[in-house]
Amino acid sequence: MYRFLLTPRWLALHVVVLLVIPAFVFLGQWQFGRYEERSANSDVVTRNLNAKPVPIGELVAPGQDVDHRDRYRSVTIQGSYDPAHSLLVRRRTQNSQLGFYVLTPMVTGEGQAVLVNRGWVKAGATADALPEVPPAPPGRVSVTGMLRPSETEASSGIRNRGQLPPGQVLLINIDAIGKGLPYELVGGYVSLTEQRPATSPAPEPVPPPDVGAGGGLNFAYGIQWWLFIGVAVGGWLLMIRREVKDRSAEQRAETDEAEPADQGQEQRHQAAAPSVET
């Protein structure tokens, strides 16, 4: 009854099922790994956003990268803006509109400064038109903001290129920007959330990241992939059961057709046999 399982068509189906099962196991495990990674990242970012602000010098120094655990940590800076070395960061979207980040160094001490993302401004009417940028306040300023690591192509997903207009960059890369400045930069930058004294007009502050549900979707996808394993195995068994049922029905039909023929042949033999009188 089950010899059909060794036919080429069924052997090919067995191979497909045997390949699908480990593939679905791997995809489920990968999604669960992403869930753990994103959930951990969400916890770190949420904790840092809600933490009490600390002076930036407690977390990072010139020539030092921002620790992964300190991303979006609320920090404070005191110093004076250097508008002469201000930069515009191209291709930054906010409120579903394309625009620029306004990046201005804040000199915090002799020979030392921090890049401050003062906020977002809408792009000009044309690609070549400069946006309207509110000036940085003069004198000593106190800033509270989110600590961010230096951007790279890998971390930002933005492809850097040269031949940009003067005063414009694509990446907030501390090493690259620091080469053109007369002071040493702290190894990260700060996205402004509060400034004293406040100024108006001012660039629109960059909103905090949306941590959402962490890796909730990845967890659901992992469960889904593993459910697909049951679907694949269940479908395979159902096809085998259906094939057995169809073959059994065919055999019964052949048997039913053979029985009347055998009976008719037997009756003909009996009619043709000579009678014997006693």
Side-chain angles (χ1 to χ4, degrees):
M1 181 63 69
Y2 291 93
R3 290 179 181 177
F4 67 88
L5 293 176
L6 299 179
T7 60
R9 181 172 69 90
W10 278 95
L11 288 174
L13 179 61
H14 303 334
V15 172
V16 170
V17 173
L18 291 175
L19 291 176
V20 160
I21 291 175
F24 286 174
V25 170
F26 169 78
L27 289 171
Q29 291 176 335
W30 178 74
Q31 288 290 353
F32 287 133
R34 292 289 292 164
Y35 160 72
E36 294 177 355
E37 179 183 340
R38 291 189 174 184
S39 295
N41 177 72
S42 176
D43 292 341
V44 169
V45 172
T46 301
R47 182 173 62 252
N48 288 343
L49 289 173
N50 295 327
K52 182 179 179 181
V54 297
I56 191 172
E58 294 185 10
L59 300 179
V60 66
Q64 177 184 354
D65 295 331
V66 175
D67 192 288
H68 180 78
R69 295 167 295 181
D70 293 330
R71 291 173 298 113
Y72 293 101
R73 181 69 188 272
S74 185
V75 296
T76 58
I77 320 168
Q78 292 184 346
S80 301
Y81 282 119
D82 178 14
H85 292 96
S86 186
L87 297 169
L88 293 175
V89 186
R90 297 171 60 91
R91 298 180 183 175
R92 300 301 167 124
T93 303
Q94 194 159 305
N95 301 324
S96 300
Q97 291 183 305
L98 189 63
F100 298 81
Y101 286 159
V102 181
L103 199 64
T104 306
M106 173 174 280
V107 180
T108 57
E110 186 175 353
Q112 183 173 319
V114 179
L115 286 181
V116 177
N117 181 359
R118 293 171 48 218
W120 178 88
V121 292
K122 185 178 179 180
T126 65
D128 297 330
L130 291 176
E132 296 182 5
V133 180
R140 192 163 183 81
V141 179
S142 296
V143 164
T144 301
M146 299 174 291
L147 181 61
R148 301 295 312 278
S150 178
E151 292 182 346
T152 64
E153 289 187 350
S155 66
S156 66
I158 299 173
R159 184 177 179 181
N160 200 11
R161 63 181 180 84
Q163 298 181 345
L164 296 175
Q168 297 186 21
V169 294
L170 285 169
L171 295 173
I172 308 178
N173 185 280
I174 306 303
D175 292 337
I177 294 174
K179 293 177 181 179
L181 299 178
Y183 31 70
E184 192 174 11
L185 291 176
V186 167
Y189 71 97
V190 174
S191 288
L192 185 150
T193 56
E194 183 182 355
Q195 178 180 275
R196 295 190 306 271
T199 57
S200 183
E204 184 176 337
V206 178
D210 181 14
V211 295
L217 284 177
N218 296 100
F219 183 82
Y221 291 150
I223 295 293
Q224 186 180 52
W225 280 117
W226 283 12
L227 287 176
F228 286 162
I229 297 174
V231 172
V233 174
W236 176 63
L237 294 175
L238 182 62
M239 291 177 67
I240 293 176
R241 182 179 178 183
R242 182 174 298 174
E243 184 75 12
V244 171
K245 184 178 180 181
D246 291 343
R247 287 176 177 267
S248 298
E250 290 177 1
Q251 289 181 358
R252 286 196 300 270
E254 291 175 357
T255 301
D256 293 341
E257 290 177 359
E259 286 181 354
D262 293 341
Q263 293 176 358
Q265 186 176 5
E266 182 178 352
Q267 291 174 356
R268 288 193 296 271
H269 283 308
Q270 290 177 354
S275 60
V276 178
E277 294 182 358
T278 59

